[in-house]
Amino acid sequence: MTIWDSIILGVIQGFTEFLPVSSSGHLELGKAILGDSSVPEESLLFTVVLHFATALSTIVVFRKDIIEIITALFKFKWNEETQFIVKIIVSMLPAVIVGLLFEEQLEAFFGGNIAFVGAMLIVTAILLWFADRSKNTGKPVTFKDAFIIGVSQAIAMLPGISRSGATISTSVLLGNDKSKAARFSFLMVVPLIFGKIAKDILGGELTSDATNFTTLGAGFIAAFICGLIACTWMISLVKKSKLKYFALYCLIVGIIAIGVGLYL
């Protein structure tokens, strides 16, 4: 993998991790368009590095919130911040269960099935369209909401289903405040990413044979910078009800992907 390949994949990961267009779906489409020989398949180490970069960008954007949550946690009281942490844990359960029990079945969907990715992008478009039309409220995320949002995050493991799009849309359709929905959506994935990294390290699955440190660094920086931009931008877009444009984008790309997939 060249440095330019690394930067391109970092940019794709950084933007599409937060924008509701499915990072996994776009990476699959990119491989199909450019061919595996043009863009070598990412090593596990490289994939983990890119996800670590976007998780770090989330921490930077929400640094004040995270500091407040950690500070309140050490007060050992059942306060709003402690409840928020428990809600995050509740939201993680569906994805953890699906990831542990159906890992091999999930990997089967990442075999270049462009028509399937296109169909899932259309599902994402429908979710975004309905969420965009929802009225803004002051309702916070409840424990029940957290679990339902977690289910949508688990479903978003499929390529073409946007994680941020699915979780934010689900939260908004449940009647939650849009800005709170975006905040919860972005923070709920951070523990999952670090948990995945820890699992891979402890399991000895990470190797550096396929990627040198220069390439890793280029991809990391690209994903981190683009993640900062996309995360901040997405919060603003959700508040202003601008999701319909992403819905239209996902619909068009989805239809094209289905057409190309069926033709090939």
Side-chain angles (χ1 to χ4, degrees):
M1 182 183 294
T2 67
I3 291 180
W4 285 112
D5 290 335
S6 176
I7 292 174
I8 290 172
L9 291 173
V11 169
I12 293 175
Q13 172 64 29
F15 277 120
T16 58
E17 176 67 29
F18 297 104
L19 299 182
V21 295
S22 177
S23 59
S24 60
H26 275 69
L27 287 174
E28 287 295 303
L29 293 176
K31 292 176 186 177
I33 293 173
L34 299 176
D36 289 337
S37 60
S38 299
V39 181
E41 193 166 353
E42 303 166 66
S43 66
L44 178 58
L45 176 61
F46 185 71
T47 302
V48 169
V49 167
L50 292 188
H51 279 87
F52 177 74
T54 51
L56 188 60
S57 65
T58 305
I59 293 174
V60 172
V61 173
F62 290 100
R63 59 190 179 279
K64 293 182 179 179
D65 301 71
I66 294 174
I67 291 174
E68 289 178 1
I69 291 171
I70 294 176
T71 302
L73 182 63
F74 284 100
K75 293 180 180 179
F76 301 103
K77 294 181 180 180
W78 187 245
N79 48 36
E80 183 178 347
E81 289 77 12
T82 305
Q83 293 178 38
F84 185 83
I85 293 174
V86 176
K87 290 173 185 176
I88 291 292
I89 295 173
V90 170
S91 73
M92 290 168 54
L93 295 177
V96 171
I97 293 172
V98 171
L100 291 176
L101 298 181
F102 303 100
E103 185 175 3
E104 293 183 3
Q105 289 84 345
L106 283 172
E107 289 177 354
F109 288 102
F110 291 83
N113 190 337
I114 304 305
F116 179 80
V117 173
M120 294 302 99
L121 280 170
I122 292 177
V123 172
T124 297
I126 294 172
L127 282 172
L128 293 174
W129 180 263
F130 281 108
D132 191 72
R133 298 170 66 85
S134 299
K135 294 181 180 180
N136 205 0
T137 68
K139 179 179 177 293
V141 177
T142 65
F143 288 99
K144 179 181 177 182
D145 294 340
F147 182 78
I148 296 174
I149 296 168
V151 171
S152 69
Q153 178 168 247
I155 296 173
M157 290 181 175
L158 296 172
I161 299 289
S162 166
R163 193 207 65 82
S164 62
T167 53
I168 292 174
S169 296
T170 300
S171 184
V172 171
L173 291 172
L174 288 171
N176 296 315
D177 179 78
K178 290 185 176 181
S179 60
K180 293 177 181 177
R183 174 175 176 261
F184 189 81
S185 171
F186 293 145
L187 288 176
M188 69 187 284
V189 76
V190 174
L192 282 177
I193 293 176
F194 284 111
K196 171 64 175 173
I197 293 173
K199 176 179 177 293
D200 291 335
I201 292 176
L202 294 175
E205 298 177 23
L206 297 183
T207 60
S208 58
D209 297 336
T211 313
N212 59 49
F213 288 106
T214 303
T215 305
L216 281 175
F220 177 89
I221 293 172
F224 176 73
I225 293 175
C226 292
L228 286 176
I229 297 171
C231 186
T232 306
W233 186 29
M234 187 60 190
I235 296 171
S236 175
L237 290 174
V238 173
K239 290 180 180 179
K240 297 177 182 178
S241 296
K242 300 291 185 180
L243 296 179
K244 60 185 177 183
Y245 300 111
F246 292 103
L248 181 60
Y249 171 81
C250 288
L251 178 63
I252 294 173
V253 175
I255 292 174
I256 294 173
I258 291 175
V260 173
L262 294 177
Y263 176 77
L264 296 176

